[in-house]
Coordinates of all heavy atoms in Angstrom, one line a residue:
A1441 N 97.0 137.6 134.3 CA 96.2 137.0 135.4 C 94.7 137.4 135.2 O 94.5 138.4 134.7 CB 96.7 137.5 136.7
E1442 N 93.9 136.6 135.8 CA 92.4 136.9 135.6 C 91.9 137.8 136.8 O 90.7 138.2 136.7 CB 91.6 135.6 135.6 CG 92.0 134.8 134.3 CD 91.2 133.5 134.2 OE1 90.5 133.1 135.3 OE2 91.3 132.7 133.3
S1443 N 92.7 137.9 137.8 CA 92.3 138.7 139.0 C 93.5 139.2 139.7 O 94.6 138.7 139.5 CB 91.4 137.8 139.9 OG 92.2 136.8 140.6
A1444 N 93.2 140.2 140.6 CA 94.3 140.8 141.4 C 94.9 139.7 142.4 O 96.1 139.6 142.6 CB 93.9 142.0 142.1
F1445 N 94.0 138.9 142.9 CA 94.5 137.9 143.8 C 95.4 136.9 143.1 O 96.4 136.4 143.7 CB 93.3 137.1 144.4 CG 93.7 136.1 145.5 CD1 94.1 136.6 146.7 CD2 93.7 134.8 145.2 CE1 94.5 135.7 147.7 CE2 94.1 133.8 146.1 CZ 94.5 134.3 147.4
E1446 N 95.0 136.5 141.8 CA 95.9 135.7 141.1 C 97.3 136.3 140.9 O 98.3 135.6 140.8 CB 95.3 135.4 139.7 CG 96.0 134.3 139.0 CD 95.3 133.9 137.7 OE1 94.0 133.8 137.7 OE2 96.0 133.6 136.6
V1447 N 97.4 137.6 140.7 CA 98.6 138.3 140.7 C 99.4 138.1 141.9 O 100.7 137.9 141.8 CB 98.4 139.8 140.4 CG1 99.8 140.6 140.5 CG2 97.8 140.1 139.1
V1448 N 98.8 138.2 143.1 CA 99.5 138.1 144.3 C 100.1 136.7 144.4 O 101.3 136.5 144.8 CB 98.5 138.2 145.6 CG1 99.2 137.8 146.8 CG2 98.0 139.7 145.6
V1449 N 99.3 135.6 144.1 CA 99.8 134.3 144.1 C 101.0 134.0 143.1 O 102.0 133.5 143.4 CB 98.6 133.3 143.8 CG1 99.2 131.8 143.7 CG2 97.6 133.4 144.9
G1450 N 100.7 134.6 141.9 CA 101.7 134.5 140.8 C 103.1 135.1 141.2 O 104.1 134.6 140.8
A1451 N 103.0 136.3 141.9 CA 104.2 137.0 142.2 C 105.2 136.1 143.1 O 106.4 136.3 143.0 CB 103.8 138.2 142.9
V1452 N 104.5 135.3 143.9 CA 105.4 134.4 144.8 C 105.8 133.2 143.9 O 107.0 132.9 144.0 CB 104.6 134.0 146.0 CG1 105.4 132.9 146.9 CG2 104.2 135.1 146.9
L1453 N 104.9 132.6 143.2 CA 105.3 131.4 142.5 C 106.3 131.6 141.4 O 107.0 130.7 141.0 CB 104.0 130.8 141.9 CG 102.9 130.3 142.9 CD1 101.8 129.6 142.1 CD2 103.6 129.4 144.0
T1454 N 106.3 132.9 140.8 CA 107.3 133.1 139.8 C 108.7 133.3 140.2 O 109.6 133.5 139.3 CB 106.8 134.4 139.0 OG1 107.4 134.5 137.8 CG2 107.1 135.7 139.8
Q1455 N 109.0 133.3 141.4 CA 110.3 133.5 141.9 C 111.3 132.4 141.4 O 111.0 131.2 141.6 CB 110.4 133.5 143.4 CG 109.7 134.7 144.0 CD 109.6 134.6 145.6 OE1 110.0 133.6 146.2 NE2 109.3 135.7 146.2
N1456 N 112.3 132.7 140.6 CA 113.3 131.8 140.1 C 112.7 130.7 139.3 O 113.2 129.6 139.4 CB 114.2 131.3 141.2 CG 114.9 132.3 142.0 OD1 115.4 133.3 141.4 ND2 114.8 132.3 143.3
T1457 N 111.7 131.0 138.4 CA 111.3 130.0 137.5 C 110.7 130.6 136.3 O 110.3 131.8 136.3 CB 110.2 129.1 138.2 OG1 110.0 127.9 137.4 CG2 108.9 129.8 138.4
A1458 N 110.4 129.8 135.3 CA 109.8 130.3 134.0 C 108.2 130.4 134.2 O 107.7 129.6 135.0 CB 110.0 129.4 132.9
W1459 N 107.6 131.4 133.6 CA 106.2 131.6 133.7 C 105.3 130.4 133.4 O 104.3 130.2 133.9 CB 105.7 132.8 133.1 CG 104.3 133.2 133.3 CD1 103.2 132.9 132.5 CD2 103.9 133.7 134.5 NE1 102.1 133.4 133.1 CE2 102.5 133.9 134.4 CE3 104.5 134.2 135.7 CZ2 101.6 134.4 135.3 CZ3 103.6 134.7 136.7 CH2 102.3 134.8 136.5
T1460 N 105.8 129.6 132.4 CA 105.1 128.4 132.1 C 104.8 127.5 133.2 O 103.8 126.8 133.3 CB 105.8 127.7 130.9 OG1 107.2 127.4 131.3 CG2 105.7 128.5 129.6
N1461 N 105.8 127.4 134.1 CA 105.7 126.6 135.3 C 104.7 127.1 136.3 O 103.9 126.4 136.9 CB 107.0 126.4 136.0 CG 108.1 125.7 135.1 OD1 107.8 124.9 134.3 ND2 109.4 126.0 135.3
V1462 N 104.7 128.5 136.4 CA 103.7 129.2 137.2 C 102.3 128.9 136.8 O 101.4 128.7 137.6 CB 104.0 130.7 137.3 CG1 103.0 131.4 138.1 CG2 105.4 130.9 137.8
E1463 N 102.1 129.0 135.4 CA 100.8 128.8 134.8 C 100.3 127.4 135.2 O 99.1 127.2 135.5 CB 100.9 128.9 133.4 CG 101.0 130.4 132.9 CD 101.1 130.5 131.4 OE1 101.7 129.5 130.8 OE2 100.7 131.5 130.8
R1464 N 101.2 126.4 135.3 CA 100.7 125.0 135.6 C 100.3 124.9 137.0 O 99.4 124.3 137.3 CB 101.9 124.0 135.3 CG 102.2 123.8 133.8 CD 103.5 123.2 133.5 NE 103.6 121.9 134.3 CZ 104.7 121.3 134.6 NH1 105.9 122.0 134.3 NH2 104.8 120.2 135.2
A1465 N 101.1 125.6 137.9 CA 100.7 125.6 139.3 C 99.4 126.3 139.6 O 98.6 125.8 140.3 CB 101.9 126.3 140.1
I1466 N 99.2 127.4 139.0 CA 98.0 128.2 139.1 C 96.8 127.4 138.5 O 95.7 127.4 139.1 CB 98.1 129.6 138.4 CG1 99.0 130.5 139.3 CG2 96.7 130.3 138.3 CD1 99.2 131.8 138.6
A1467 N 97.0 126.6 137.5 CA 96.0 125.8 136.9 C 95.6 124.8 137.9 O 94.4 124.4 138.0 CB 96.4 125.2 135.6
N1468 N 96.5 124.2 138.6 CA 96.3 123.2 139.7 C 95.4 123.9 140.8 O 94.4 123.2 141.3 CB 97.6 122.7 140.4 CG 98.4 121.8 139.5 OD1 97.8 121.3 138.4 ND2 99.6 121.5 139.8
L1469 N 95.7 125.0 141.2 CA 94.9 125.7 142.2 C 93.5 126.0 141.8 O 92.5 125.8 142.5 CB 95.7 127.0 142.6 CG 97.0 126.9 143.2 CD1 97.7 128.3 143.4 CD2 96.9 126.2 144.6
K1470 N 93.4 126.4 140.5 CA 92.0 126.6 139.9 C 91.2 125.3 139.9 O 90.1 125.3 140.2 CB 92.1 127.3 138.5 CG 92.7 128.7 138.6 CD 92.7 129.3 137.2 CE 93.1 130.7 137.2 NZ 93.2 131.4 135.8
A1471 N 91.9 124.3 139.4 CA 91.2 123.0 139.3 C 90.8 122.4 140.6 O 89.7 121.7 140.8 CB 92.2 121.9 138.6
A1472 N 91.6 122.7 141.6 CA 91.2 122.3 143.0 C 90.1 123.2 143.7 O 89.7 122.9 144.8 CB 92.4 122.1 143.9
G1473 N 89.9 124.4 143.0 CA 88.9 125.3 143.6 C 89.4 126.0 144.8 O 88.6 126.4 145.6
V1474 N 90.7 126.3 144.8 CA 91.2 126.9 146.0 C 91.9 128.2 145.7 O 92.7 128.8 146.6 CB 92.2 126.0 146.8 CG1 91.5 124.8 147.3 CG2 93.4 125.6 145.9
L1475 N 91.7 128.8 144.6 CA 92.4 130.0 144.2 C 91.6 131.3 144.8 O 91.1 132.1 144.1 CB 92.6 130.2 142.7 CG 93.5 131.4 142.2 CD1 94.9 131.2 142.9 CD2 93.6 131.4 140.8
N1476 N 91.5 131.3 146.1 CA 90.9 132.4 146.8 C 91.6 132.4 148.2 O 92.0 131.4 148.7 CB 89.4 132.3 146.9 CG 88.9 131.1 147.6 OD1 88.9 131.0 148.8 ND2 88.5 130.0 146.9
S1477 N 91.5 133.5 148.8 CA 92.2 133.7 150.1 C 91.8 132.8 151.2 O 92.5 132.1 151.8 CB 92.1 135.2 150.6 OG 92.7 135.4 151.8
E1478 N 90.4 132.6 151.3 CA 89.9 131.8 152.4 C 90.3 130.4 152.3 O 90.7 129.7 153.2 CB 88.4 131.9 152.4 CG 87.7 131.1 153.6 CD 86.2 131.3 153.5 OE1 85.7 132.1 152.8 OE2 85.6 130.6 154.4
A1479 N 90.2 129.8 151.0 CA 90.5 128.4 150.8 C 92.0 128.2 150.9 O 92.4 127.1 151.6 CB 90.1 128.0 149.3
L1480 N 92.8 129.0 150.5 CA 94.3 128.8 150.6 C 94.7 128.9 152.0 O 95.6 128.2 152.5 CB 95.0 129.8 149.8 CG 95.0 129.6 148.3 CD1 95.7 130.6 147.5 CD2 95.6 128.2 147.8
L1481 N 94.1 129.8 152.9 CA 94.5 129.9 154.2 C 94.1 128.7 155.1 O 94.8 128.4 156.1 CB 93.8 131.2 154.8 CG 94.4 132.5 154.5 CD1 93.5 133.7 154.9 CD2 95.8 132.6 155.2
S1482 N 93.1 128.0 154.6 CA 92.6 126.8 155.4 C 93.3 125.5 154.8 O 93.1 124.4 155.4 CB 91.1 126.7 155.3 OG 90.7 126.5 153.9

């Protein structure tokens, strides 16, 4: 992960799935510019 916050998000997304799938989901969050606490909460 590139940050501690990304670890937090990844820890939930990795439940019962392969990490490659988590990487794709996190890439979506980064592309949408919402991989931060304030953006995700809103």
Side-chain angles (χ1 to χ4, degrees):
E1442 296 179 353
S1443 68
F1445 185 76
E1446 189 174 322
V1447 172
V1448 172
V1449 174
V1452 175
L1453 300 184
T1454 196
Q1455 294 174 347
N1456 299 317
T1457 194
W1459 185 257
T1460 51
N1461 296 331
V1462 178
E1463 289 178 326
R1464 291 165 54 205
I1466 289 178
N1468 285 349
L1469 295 173
K1470 290 180 177 179
V1474 295
L1475 191 56
N1476 62 78
S1477 180
E1478 183 178 357
L1480 287 178
L1481 282 170
S1482 63

